[in-house]
Amino acid sequence: MNVLILGSGGREHAFAWKIAQSSKLDSLFIAPGNAGTAEVGTNVNIEVNDFEAIKTFVIENKVNMVVVGPEDPLVNGVHDFFLADEKLKNIPVIGPKKDGAELEGSKEFSKKFMQKHGVPTARYQSFTKENLEEGYAFLETLKPPYVLKADGLAAGKGVLILEDLQEAKTELKNMVADAKFGAASTTVVIEEFLHGIELSVFVLTDGENYKILPSAKDYKRISEGDTGLNTGGMGAISPVPFADEAFLNKVEEQIVKPTINGLKADGIDYKGFIFIGLMNDKGSPSVVEYNVRMGDPETEVVIPRIKSDLLDLFEGVANRTLGEKTFEVDDRTATTVMLVSGGYPEAYEKGKIMTGFGAIENSIAFHAGTKQEGNNIVTSGGRVLALTSFGTDIKDALSKSFANAEKINFDKKYYRTDIGFDLV
Ligand code: AMP
Ligand code: GLY
């Protein structure tokens, strides 16, 4: 099989690393990829939203399957584009069509979906500039902190959590009337604040059957002790110790099943990953958000723990035979620690020469923001490298990730030394 992965981060390197191990694989392409994906496949210089260029490449290179990493091309309809094209319609795309991608593309859509199908989530209402006054009144009925969410995609920045009522009102106005997040905040969802501890559960579905993948917890803030600005994620751990069998059973019965059945009932034929962001409040799960893709850096701990052939599972998704596929998970703990460029998530420099790859032992280095420049691997993003390790427990796995974090060098390297601090 010839496979094309769309994307260029640590998530896509982890997919490529895993797919490269499949006996079903002939050729692996990654568009646009990074210096790490080039070690296990062939990078193709095409952007993920350039559907015409993707089409030409897929036809010329006899690609048999497309695996979509990020949400953008899904929300923009890459899967629909394939289905509408005579030459592409029989090539499976792993990732939902536009209708399913709305679960991430619109917070209002996803809240309505959850409410309709009885999936536990925070109470909410949505507002535009037409009913701003009602938005102020709704805020007055809530207790702080106040949660304001831009309806559309805002590159992970569209959620504000505010302690002060007056500030919440001002920000609501900034969002709906003054386009704080551009068109994404024309509509704003205001919801109740959920207490508890966050984790994520991932589902792979063919629209009918599903597999629940290993749970994971990521560390989103830039600084130690989960403080400072939000990032894409500074590290991750799988499995999550407090997500025991009893809790995961609740997640499956109260959340996964109603989600899969709800999609079917609404006529949404969903083939791909569902990333369920959860809050665990004293053993009761509720949904913070859906994403229509895998998480990053969660993928860097979840995918290595899957022992089964990922391409075989993807074939199951494509043929709607996922229920017949074996699915085995490694019992060991996996951790990943993200090396980032100094300054991230604000301004940072790129093009820093990276050294130390040869010294890495007992970890997998998943490239997130790197590129090959002559004989050097240089930094090309805020998040640079995810160091994933296995261990008997979190401490054991982390000791390997941290030891290798010291060995990789580049100017202004930064990483958090307290990943997993709340779990050990
Ligand atoms: P989202 O993009 O919806 O995942 O929101 C980003 C982050 O904001 C989440 O990962 C949570 O940490 C936090 N968050 C979102 N909604 C809530 C909520 N209702 N209660 C508490 N925290 C929330
Ligand atoms: N790590 C969070 C995300 O991928 O959205």
Side-chain angles (χ1 to χ4, degrees), residues 218 220 232 275 291 293 295-298:
D218 80 338
K220 291 195 175 101
F275 163 155
N291 294 310
R293 52 172 173 86
D296 193 350
E298 293 92 329

Side-chain angles (χ1 to χ4, degrees), residues 196-202 213-220 237 239-244 247-248 251 255 275-281 283-289 291 298 422-423:
I197 176 159
E198 277 186 87
L199 74 154
S200 301
V201 166
F202 305 89
L213 312 185
S215 62
K217 186 171 195 304
D218 80 338
Y219 291 81
K220 291 195 175 101
I237 286 179
V240 182
F242 62 79
D244 56 12
F247 180 76
L248 289 174
V251 171
I255 294 168
F275 163 155
I276 307 176
L278 292 171
M279 195 67 83
N280 173 358
D281 185 8
S284 295
S286 52
V287 176
V288 176
E289 63 165 347
N291 294 310
E298 293 92 329
D422 54 339
L423 299 178

Side-chain angles (χ1 to χ4, degrees), residues 76-383:
N76 292 338
V78 69
H79 195 157
D80 312 68
F81 176 85
F82 269 62
L83 288 174
D85 189 288
E86 270 311 305
K87 291 199 177 113
L88 301 179
K89 68 179 185 196
N90 294 318
I91 299 168
V93 176
I94 306 303
K97 290 179 284 161
K98 244 180 170 168
D99 55 1
E102 279 295 273
L103 282 184
E104 178 166 359
S106 165
K107 301 268 185 207
E108 188 182 30
F109 175 90
S110 78
K111 296 297 287 191
K112 272 193 188 140
F113 176 89
M114 288 186 257
Q115 205 170 44
K116 178 173 174 193
H117 299 290
V119 176
T121 189
R123 192 165 65 91
Y124 83 103
Q125 281 186 33
S126 51
F127 303 94
T128 63
K129 69 172 190 269
E130 314 313 326
N131 59 355
L132 190 52
E133 292 296 327
E134 288 167 43
Y136 296 154
F138 184 63
L139 281 170
E140 279 166 15
T141 70
L142 299 174
K143 284 198 248 28
Y146 304 95
V147 183
L148 273 55
K149 298 185 172 184
D151 175 56
L153 291 183
K157 297 193 172 74
V159 176
L160 300 181
I161 297 181
L162 304 162
E163 287 296 333
D164 180 68
L165 178 63
Q166 196 48 49
E167 197 186 349
K169 288 181 179 177
T170 305
E171 288 292 1
L172 175 62
K173 179 174 174 296
N174 290 343
M175 287 167 88
V176 296
D178 305 325
K180 176 165 179 139
F181 299 106
S185 65
T186 307
T187 299
V188 167
V189 165
I190 301 178
E191 65 180 39
E192 255 174 355
F193 184 82
L194 295 168
H195 293 272
I197 176 159
E198 277 186 87
L199 74 154
S200 301
V201 166
F202 305 89
V203 178
L204 180 65
T205 181
D206 62 9
E208 190 75 46
N209 312 285
Y210 62 84
K211 303 284 187 202
I212 299 182
L213 312 185
S215 62
K217 186 171 195 304
D218 80 338
Y219 291 81
K220 291 195 175 101
R221 303 298 193 89
I222 189 69
S223 300
E224 312 265 315
D226 258 331
T227 57
L229 292 174
N230 246 319
T231 72
M234 297 295 291
I237 286 179
S238 176
V240 182
F242 62 79
D244 56 12
E245 201 181 320
F247 180 76
L248 289 174
N249 280 336
K250 284 187 206 166
V251 171
E252 178 163 16
E253 292 305 318
Q254 297 170 18
I255 294 168
V256 176
K257 284 183 182 169
T259 299
I260 301 291
N261 292 336
L263 288 166
K264 255 169 62 180
D266 290 351
I268 298 174
D269 185 18
Y270 194 110
K271 286 168 180 274
F273 292 101
I274 308 175
F275 163 155
I276 307 176
L278 292 171
M279 195 67 83
N280 173 358
D281 185 8
K282 301 186 192 85
S284 295
S286 52
V287 176
V288 176
E289 63 165 347
Y290 290 115
N291 294 310
V292 299
R293 52 172 173 86
M294 283 296 291
D296 193 350
E298 293 92 329
T299 307
E300 290 94 301
V301 288
V302 169
I303 290 290
R305 290 191 61 225
I306 297 176
K307 292 207 254 180
S308 311
D309 182 334
L310 192 60
L311 271 193
D312 186 49
L313 292 168
F314 285 167
E315 273 189 331
V317 171
N319 305 332
R320 225 187 286 286
T321 55
L322 188 59
E324 298 161 23
K325 301 293 185 185
T326 55
F327 179 65
E328 278 186 283
V329 172
D330 194 321
D331 289 333
R332 291 176 299 168
T333 292
T335 60
T336 201
V337 171
M338 190 66 82
L339 307 186
V340 307
S341 303
Y344 171 80
E346 297 183 287
Y348 57 86
E349 294 166 36
K350 297 183 193 177
K352 304 291 185 189
I353 292 175
M354 300 177 69
T355 56
F357 286 100
I360 291 181
E361 281 174 320
N362 303 318
S363 290
I364 312 163
F366 289 123
H367 292 227
T370 69
K371 69 174 184 192
Q372 190 79 37
E373 225 174 55
N375 288 329
N376 294 318
I377 293 177
V378 302
T379 64
S380 67
R383 292 193 295 169

